[in-house]
Amino acid sequence: MLGYLAFLSAVIIIIALPCYAYYYLWLKNIKPFFDAQVKLENSKIGQVSDKKKKGTCIIIGGSIGGITTALVASFHFENVIVFEKKRYEANKSTAPQGTQTHIFLRRCITIYTKLFGGHLNIDFINEIEKIGAFKILIENTDYAAIDGKSDKLCGLIEGQKICPPGYQMTRYMIESCIRDLIMNVDNGNNNNNNQSNLGKIQFRDDQTVSGLIFETMKTSDSKIIHQVKGVKLDHGELIYGDLIIDCSGLTTQTPTWIEEEFSKETLSKEHISKENLSKENLSKNNRKRFTMEKSKIILTTTYTSAIYKLKDPENPNGFFLKDGKTPVWAYIGNIGFPTKSGMIYYRVAQDLGMFILGETGKNPECVKIKNHEDCIEFLSKVSPDISEKTKLFFENCDLDQGPVINWSNYKKDGTVLNHWEKTKFKDENGNLHLLENFLALGDSVGSLNPVYGQGVTCMTECQLILDEILRRENSKIDYKTFEEFQTRVYRIYIPPYILATMVDLQLEAKGGNWWYKTFLLPILGPNVKRTILSSKIDPFVRCQFNRIQGMCEGYLYDMFDKKYRARSKNPQPNW
């Protein structure tokens, strides 16, 4: 009998453990990341909502995230107000990294094509091409990363052109373009049916949001709901709204304001019970404080860049010919892998070329670069081959005129992920503090290392989720909806965050938990290096890698495609 019971127990364990692992590991914890993207065919983004628009949406931040989120919100609210602390100037970005470029990857392009091309009937690709955004095909890119050697990608793959990875342009170009497109939509002030169905968008530049307006309510089940009712401006004005969205970017102050609100020593008298009035409970020293959880990878990277006019915008030969016949309009070169220095130059407009050099460390030598001669000299010391290729870039630039945007430095101190999905707090009296009428997206959630150019695409994914939620029958952003939105946004950001920080953690970066550094990094790091090297040889690997980098729908499933994994190990030069 005992033997039978032991056998039965063993059978149960053998069956139960895989079932439990499948449910707990895959269905509950991993698959939600794979399915985090909204299916674009099911999304109604860019279409007028069936619900009647009402209320006011306030957007904090007027860079590209704030501008495009305002457009999404205008399909659902009567009024949308965008606050930007800097004065708007044409041909200037309001972002701290304003001299850098925007890369619109394939997923981003498809989302914005639908957003602008729906009810507004605006051809987004045509509009950005009119301002000079440059489309670079894979075969027109020389991916000399890791080993410094030119790639072998050119011509056709299976008789067809490879799809372009997206569009590249300066930040000020695209932000000015999108802002002008929105401003040209009259927002209901004329009889154009396409325009009158949108809420009114108001840009208030040169106005700094200095705080949030909270209204606090305590429920019978010991929940303290902090409803965000509006924003405070630095000159004292109070602006009220029905939904406040933080798009203020990597310098966001809203986590600090929410930490202070959740950690206040006392509530209003009508919400404090008698048993909580003791000096001990209200003592500052004994009161618990809420601190927003953050994931940080600390690694100082300095980017030195300049933009030049091209001598001949009609030049058919690119900056150079890769194989004697294929023009190269983008060149990427890293010095080793992982690398402390890396550079890229590429055509960012029909008549503009941009050079960017990045260097990690606290005392970067690249800040001494003041002109193209300094740049060549710097590169000749670290990589003569890359230095020679860089000379070809400057030979195609109008050096007599000088840079259109002068040599400048932008320092980034690492990658930060704010865990908005964990914005809840139980105080010493057992009250659970929760947030309502507020959402955060874009760089306010995650400020990524731009090595793979996925930041803007992550933001557009968040806008798809926002649009889906605002179309619900009950679209009130209560604490449950806030947590749902921010959890879905977290799942969007985690894969690019891991991909971007893998290189950082192989250098001198600080941060990252034990599981990430001990388990994930040793497995993924070598795989990424191998895949990049294979993508320089095998067209199938490169195209699949391009889909993954471009965050195309279902890209996480693509990462584990059997053929892709096999060809990454044994690349085949089948051009």
mmCIF file of all heavy atoms in Angstrom, residues 134 310-321 327-329 347 350 396:
data_model
loop_
_atom_site.group_PDB
_atom_site.id
_atom_site.type_symbol
_atom_site.label_atom_id
_atom_site.label_comp_id
_atom_site.label_asym_id
_atom_site.label_seq_id
_atom_site.Cartn_x
_atom_site.Cartn_y
_atom_site.Cartn_z
ATOM 1 N N PHE A 134 14.797 61.113 -44.006
ATOM 2 C CA PHE A 134 15.481 60.253 -44.967
ATOM 3 C C PHE A 134 15.249 58.783 -44.658
ATOM 4 O O PHE A 134 15.445 58.334 -43.527
ATOM 5 C CB PHE A 134 16.975 60.549 -44.986
ATOM 6 C CG PHE A 134 17.696 59.900 -46.124
ATOM 7 C CD1 PHE A 134 17.489 60.322 -47.429
ATOM 8 C CD2 PHE A 134 18.559 58.841 -45.909
ATOM 9 C CE1 PHE A 134 18.142 59.712 -48.493
ATOM 10 C CE2 PHE A 134 19.223 58.229 -46.952
ATOM 11 C CZ PHE A 134 19.006 58.668 -48.258
ATOM 12 N N LEU A 310 25.175 68.718 -46.756
ATOM 13 C CA LEU A 310 25.860 67.879 -47.731
ATOM 14 C C LEU A 310 26.212 68.713 -48.966
ATOM 15 O O LEU A 310 25.434 69.580 -49.384
ATOM 16 C CB LEU A 310 24.974 66.701 -48.136
ATOM 17 C CG LEU A 310 24.602 65.724 -47.006
ATOM 18 C CD1 LEU A 310 23.689 64.634 -47.536
ATOM 19 C CD2 LEU A 310 25.846 65.112 -46.372
ATOM 20 N N LYS A 311 27.369 68.437 -49.549
ATOM 21 C CA LYS A 311 27.787 69.168 -50.745
ATOM 22 C C LYS A 311 26.818 68.935 -51.906
ATOM 23 O O LYS A 311 26.422 69.867 -52.602
ATOM 24 C CB LYS A 311 29.195 68.724 -51.175
ATOM 25 C CG LYS A 311 30.321 69.219 -50.302
ATOM 26 C CD LYS A 311 31.652 68.684 -50.848
ATOM 27 C CE LYS A 311 32.827 69.125 -49.994
ATOM 28 N NZ LYS A 311 34.106 68.546 -50.493
ATOM 29 N N ASP A 312 26.451 67.685 -52.099
ATOM 30 C CA ASP A 312 25.604 67.335 -53.241
ATOM 31 C C ASP A 312 24.478 66.412 -52.782
ATOM 32 O O ASP A 312 24.658 65.193 -52.703
ATOM 33 C CB ASP A 312 26.445 66.644 -54.327
ATOM 34 C CG ASP A 312 25.614 66.272 -55.546
ATOM 35 O OD1 ASP A 312 24.454 66.721 -55.638
ATOM 36 O OD2 ASP A 312 26.138 65.536 -56.400
ATOM 37 N N PRO A 313 23.286 66.952 -52.478
ATOM 38 C CA PRO A 313 22.164 66.115 -52.038
ATOM 39 C C PRO A 313 21.720 65.100 -53.087
ATOM 40 O O PRO A 313 21.058 64.114 -52.755
ATOM 41 C CB PRO A 313 21.056 67.139 -51.754
ATOM 42 C CG PRO A 313 21.761 68.435 -51.526
ATOM 43 C CD PRO A 313 22.964 68.386 -52.419
ATOM 44 N N GLU A 314 22.080 65.336 -54.330
ATOM 45 C CA GLU A 314 21.679 64.418 -55.402
ATOM 46 C C GLU A 314 22.724 63.330 -55.659
ATOM 47 O O GLU A 314 22.567 62.520 -56.575
ATOM 48 C CB GLU A 314 21.456 65.211 -56.703
ATOM 49 C CG GLU A 314 20.453 66.349 -56.585
ATOM 50 C CD GLU A 314 19.072 65.858 -56.185
ATOM 51 O OE1 GLU A 314 18.691 64.747 -56.639
ATOM 52 O OE2 GLU A 314 18.392 66.558 -55.422
ATOM 53 N N ASN A 315 23.767 63.306 -54.874
ATOM 54 C CA ASN A 315 24.838 62.332 -55.047
ATOM 55 C C ASN A 315 24.293 60.898 -54.975
ATOM 56 O O ASN A 315 23.737 60.497 -53.948
ATOM 57 C CB ASN A 315 25.890 62.546 -53.945
ATOM 58 C CG ASN A 315 26.947 61.466 -53.927
ATOM 59 O OD1 ASN A 315 27.152 60.769 -54.909
ATOM 60 N ND2 ASN A 315 27.623 61.335 -52.789
ATOM 61 N N PRO A 316 24.436 60.102 -56.026
ATOM 62 C CA PRO A 316 23.882 58.738 -56.024
ATOM 63 C C PRO A 316 24.801 57.717 -55.361
ATOM 64 O O PRO A 316 24.403 56.559 -55.179
ATOM 65 C CB PRO A 316 23.729 58.422 -57.518
ATOM 66 C CG PRO A 316 24.862 59.178 -58.156
ATOM 67 C CD PRO A 316 25.032 60.448 -57.336
ATOM 68 N N ASN A 317 26.020 58.122 -54.989
ATOM 69 C CA ASN A 317 27.021 57.170 -54.510
ATOM 70 C C ASN A 317 27.151 57.108 -52.991
ATOM 71 O O ASN A 317 28.032 56.424 -52.473
ATOM 72 C CB ASN A 317 28.386 57.496 -55.118
ATOM 73 C CG ASN A 317 28.386 57.348 -56.621
ATOM 74 O OD1 ASN A 317 27.771 56.421 -57.160
ATOM 75 N ND2 ASN A 317 29.056 58.271 -57.305
ATOM 76 N N GLY A 318 26.283 57.840 -52.273
ATOM 77 C CA GLY A 318 26.353 57.809 -50.818
ATOM 78 C C GLY A 318 27.632 58.452 -50.305
ATOM 79 O O GLY A 318 28.339 59.167 -51.018
ATOM 80 N N PHE A 319 27.941 58.173 -49.060
ATOM 81 C CA PHE A 319 29.197 58.663 -48.496
ATOM 82 C C PHE A 319 30.378 57.875 -49.073
ATOM 83 O O PHE A 319 31.474 58.389 -49.192
ATOM 84 C CB PHE A 319 29.183 58.547 -46.973
ATOM 85 C CG PHE A 319 28.138 59.400 -46.301
ATOM 86 C CD1 PHE A 319 27.125 58.838 -45.539
ATOM 87 C CD2 PHE A 319 28.146 60.784 -46.458
ATOM 88 C CE1 PHE A 319 26.177 59.621 -44.917
ATOM 89 C CE2 PHE A 319 27.194 61.578 -45.847
ATOM 90 C CZ PHE A 319 26.200 60.993 -45.079
ATOM 91 N N PHE A 320 30.092 56.597 -49.399
ATOM 92 C CA PHE A 320 31.077 55.780 -50.110
ATOM 93 C C PHE A 320 30.337 54.563 -50.662
ATOM 94 O O PHE A 320 29.170 54.313 -50.325
ATOM 95 C CB PHE A 320 32.245 55.355 -49.204
ATOM 96 C CG PHE A 320 31.855 54.543 -47.997
ATOM 97 C CD1 PHE A 320 31.798 53.148 -48.060
ATOM 98 C CD2 PHE A 320 31.559 55.157 -46.786
ATOM 99 C CE1 PHE A 320 31.448 52.397 -46.950
ATOM 100 C CE2 PHE A 320 31.209 54.414 -45.666
ATOM 101 C CZ PHE A 320 31.154 53.026 -45.752
ATOM 102 N N LEU A 321 31.002 53.812 -51.527
ATOM 103 C CA LEU A 321 30.437 52.593 -52.098
ATOM 104 C C LEU A 321 30.968 51.392 -51.319
ATOM 105 O O LEU A 321 32.176 51.177 -51.243
ATOM 106 C CB LEU A 321 30.781 52.471 -53.580
ATOM 107 C CG LEU A 321 30.189 53.554 -54.500
ATOM 108 C CD1 LEU A 321 30.729 53.393 -55.916
ATOM 109 C CD2 LEU A 321 28.668 53.481 -54.505
ATOM 110 N N PRO A 327 25.703 52.182 -52.572
ATOM 111 C CA PRO A 327 25.945 53.412 -51.805
ATOM 112 C C PRO A 327 25.615 53.244 -50.324
ATOM 113 O O PRO A 327 24.632 52.590 -49.971
ATOM 114 C CB PRO A 327 24.997 54.426 -52.458
ATOM 115 C CG PRO A 327 23.927 53.601 -53.094
ATOM 116 C CD PRO A 327 24.582 52.326 -53.507
ATOM 117 N N VAL A 328 26.445 53.809 -49.479
ATOM 118 C CA VAL A 328 26.246 53.750 -48.031
ATOM 119 C C VAL A 328 25.836 55.132 -47.526
ATOM 120 O O VAL A 328 26.560 56.109 -47.720
ATOM 121 C CB VAL A 328 27.527 53.285 -47.308
ATOM 122 C CG1 VAL A 328 27.394 53.450 -45.796
ATOM 123 C CG2 VAL A 328 27.839 51.846 -47.664
ATOM 124 N N TRP A 329 24.641 55.186 -46.879
ATOM 125 C CA TRP A 329 24.162 56.451 -46.305
ATOM 126 C C TRP A 329 24.153 56.413 -44.777
ATOM 127 O O TRP A 329 23.766 57.380 -44.141
ATOM 128 C CB TRP A 329 22.771 56.763 -46.836
ATOM 129 C CG TRP A 329 22.760 57.263 -48.248
ATOM 130 C CD1 TRP A 329 22.219 56.658 -49.339
ATOM 131 C CD2 TRP A 329 23.342 58.486 -48.715
ATOM 132 N NE1 TRP A 329 22.418 57.411 -50.473
ATOM 133 C CE2 TRP A 329 23.105 58.547 -50.111
ATOM 134 C CE3 TRP A 329 24.043 59.529 -48.113
ATOM 135 C CZ2 TRP A 329 23.533 59.614 -50.902
ATOM 136 C CZ3 TRP A 329 24.473 60.587 -48.897
ATOM 137 C CH2 TRP A 329 24.216 60.630 -50.277
ATOM 138 N N ARG A 347 22.744 60.072 -43.044
ATOM 139 C CA ARG A 347 21.980 61.141 -43.660
ATOM 140 C C ARG A 347 20.674 61.295 -42.877
ATOM 141 O O ARG A 347 19.868 60.369 -42.803
ATOM 142 C CB ARG A 347 21.690 60.771 -45.111
ATOM 143 C CG ARG A 347 21.097 61.878 -45.960
ATOM 144 C CD ARG A 347 21.108 61.430 -47.419
ATOM 145 N NE ARG A 347 20.529 62.419 -48.308
ATOM 146 C CZ ARG A 347 20.553 62.315 -49.631
ATOM 147 N NH1 ARG A 347 21.132 61.264 -50.187
ATOM 148 N NH2 ARG A 347 20.006 63.243 -50.383
ATOM 149 N N GLN A 350 17.365 65.091 -46.575
ATOM 150 C CA GLN A 350 17.808 65.014 -47.964
ATOM 151 C C GLN A 350 19.110 65.773 -48.195
ATOM 152 O O GLN A 350 19.896 65.419 -49.070
ATOM 153 C CB GLN A 350 16.708 65.573 -48.884
ATOM 154 C CG GLN A 350 15.412 64.789 -48.828
ATOM 155 C CD GLN A 350 15.563 63.342 -49.243
ATOM 156 O OE1 GLN A 350 16.378 63.013 -50.101
ATOM 157 N NE2 GLN A 350 14.787 62.457 -48.637
ATOM 158 N N ASN A 396 32.121 64.573 -47.919
ATOM 159 C CA ASN A 396 30.831 64.837 -48.557
ATOM 160 C C ASN A 396 30.069 65.995 -47.909
ATOM 161 O O ASN A 396 28.962 66.313 -48.342
ATOM 162 C CB ASN A 396 29.960 63.574 -48.523
ATOM 163 C CG ASN A 396 30.384 62.544 -49.544
ATOM 164 O OD1 ASN A 396 29.951 62.586 -50.694
ATOM 165 N ND2 ASN A 396 31.230 61.620 -49.124
#
